[in-house]
Amino acid sequence: MGNVKSRPRKIIQSEVFLSEGDRSDLEYAATSSSAAAATAVASSIVHFSAKSFAEHGNSAGYLIIHGLPHEWRDTPSTPTEAGYRMSDQHPSSRLLRAVARSCGTLVGYEDELEGTLLRDVYPTRGGESGPVDFRTENVHHPLRPDILGLYCLRRDRDGVGAMRVASVHDAIGKLGDQVAQTLSEPRFLSGSPSSDGLGRGATTAHPVLFRHSAGAYLRFNGRNTIGLDRAATEAIVEFRGIIAESARTIVLAPGDMVLIDNHAAAHGRTAFTPRYDGSDGWLRRFHTVHSMPQWARRLMPRPGVIPRCDVVIGMS
Ligand SMILES: [Fe+2]
């Protein structure tokens, strides 16, 4: 087991560039209606790239789609208070839903922002603007997102905020065999992210690293995954260092979207200085899953909203 490395995944590019023609077709469609946006995306390079990435992944753990439309006439100033939700009829909402459909099924979580499907991410007064630790999304949850999508609607004026993405493929080769083995055993617990107001109990013991001949996978949050014994604690400290060292820095321009394989890459963020003057950076986020158990569908409070974590744990 100690020598098991991840098998290289099918080579899929990590960046796609839309032509001006693609961009204007998508802009026209998204401005017209949700149905037009869905049709335009489904027949575009965006669909084929996103679908292929969602199904096969790549060694980088992410795919950037450059050049999506972003100059929407009715985009407001960047909000400054928590809780803002962009209208579902805003063209960017139509576009994001359509791209999410290419990745899988768009989902929200009942105990995260009341099941919001498209989350608006911007600095809020009293919120955090420092660097964000590497994590896979919803590490505490049995039904974790498969794909995380982040679309840049507005870039921060200083241009210093960046995503950091570290793939398990890049990190695993730098791990010593003993540390890799420790990380592969159920010697870790993860708590619910308090920033999302969950506050419920920690998970049962789980491994941070899954190694299989079909690939390697991660379940890790630098902020709230802890080792249950001394060796596990030391292993996670080393792992955090290796993740940070092997991470790539991604600067998103307006109209760029990054899709992250939530099982194959951890993501974080660099620090930035918010101004709270309506010009701060604004990302729009979605989560998708490839499939959903029938029982979870039945228990959904609304379509696409995964039931509370304690309900899912009880059922799974
Ligand atoms: Fe995140």
Side-chain angles (χ1 to χ4, degrees):
M1 187 72 179
N3 290 323
V4 175
K5 301 292 184 193
S6 70
R7 187 205 288 172
R9 290 170 161 231
K10 185 175 170 184
I11 304 297
I12 293 176
Q13 57 194 347
S14 58
E15 293 187 81
V16 172
F17 295 83
L18 266 60
S19 67
E20 185 58 33
D22 291 335
R23 191 199 60 72
S24 62
D25 287 352
L26 292 174
E27 181 174 317
Y28 178 76
T31 305
S32 304
S33 68
S34 296
T39 303
V41 167
S43 60
S44 74
I45 188 176
V46 176
H47 172 72
F48 297 104
S49 307
K51 186 169 188 292
S52 181
F53 174 71
E55 284 180 6
H56 304 291
N58 63 18
S59 60
Y62 68 82
L63 172 72
I64 306 176
I65 301 170
H66 293 280
L68 289 163
H70 62 91
E71 289 174 331
W72 314 107
R73 256 178 309 180
D74 47 355
T75 300
S77 300
T78 305
T80 56
E81 304 298 329
Y84 178 84
R85 282 192 57 196
M86 183 79 101
S87 161
D88 279 349
Q89 295 312 313
H90 189 272
S92 68
S93 300
R94 296 170 177 161
L95 182 69
L96 262 65
R97 284 173 179 271
V99 179
R101 198 168 300 134
S102 300
C103 298
T105 302
L106 177 66
V107 292
Y109 289 81
E110 185 176 6
D111 38 15
E112 184 182 337
L113 301 168
E114 298 166 342
T116 300
L117 295 176
L118 299 179
R119 178 177 184 174
D120 290 286
V121 184
Y122 51 85
T124 54
R125 290 181 202 283
E128 292 179 45
S129 56
V132 172
D133 282 344
F134 288 96
R135 79 263 318 266
T136 52
E137 207 81 336
N138 288 12
V139 68
H140 65 290
H141 205 289
L143 296 178
R144 294 179 290 287
D146 292 313
I147 298 289
L148 156 69
L150 286 161
Y151 162 79
C152 180
L153 181 63
R154 182 170 289 141
R155 179 104 177 85
D156 65 293
R157 210 195 293 169
D158 299 329
V160 295
M163 298 282 307
R164 301 264 291 147
V165 180
S167 83
V168 65
H169 181 272
D170 289 344
I172 203 165
K174 297 180 178 164
L175 287 171
D177 284 348
Q178 187 54 52
V179 172
Q181 180 58 36
T182 302
L183 292 169
S184 303
E185 293 170 2
R187 292 161 72 173
F188 305 88
L189 291 182
S190 294
S192 301
S194 54
S195 58
D196 288 328
L198 299 178
R200 294 192 173 87
T203 58
T204 53
H206 67 83
V208 157
L209 194 61
F210 303 79
R211 293 176 296 168
H212 185 274
S213 57
Y217 301 92
L218 274 180
R219 183 177 178 187
F220 165 75
N221 183 320
R223 191 162 165 178
N224 62 22
T225 299
I226 58 163
L228 287 171
D229 55 66
R230 189 168 163 185
T233 303
E234 287 171 2
I236 212 153
V237 169
E238 184 171 336
F239 187 59
R240 287 175 63 158
I242 286 172
I243 283 276
E245 203 178 281
S246 59
R248 305 176 197 207
T249 299
I250 297 176
V251 177
L252 296 176
D256 288 349
M257 181 187 289
V258 60
L259 304 176
I260 299 173
D261 180 335
N262 192 45
H263 308 297
H267 64 280
R269 189 189 72 196
T270 62
F272 62 96
T273 307
R275 297 171 184 245
Y276 308 120
D277 62 356
S279 71
D280 284 327
W282 186 348
L283 298 176
R284 308 205 68 208
R285 187 197 78 178
F286 65 75
H287 290 147
T288 65
V289 295
H290 297 316
S291 62
M292 182 63 61
Q294 182 58 33
W295 57 260
R297 280 186 203 282
R298 273 194 229 110
L299 294 171
M300 283 180 173
R302 299 191 301 284
V305 178
I306 293 175
R308 290 195 330 263
C309 192
D310 56 340
V311 172
V312 174
I313 289 169
M315 287 293 294
S316 56

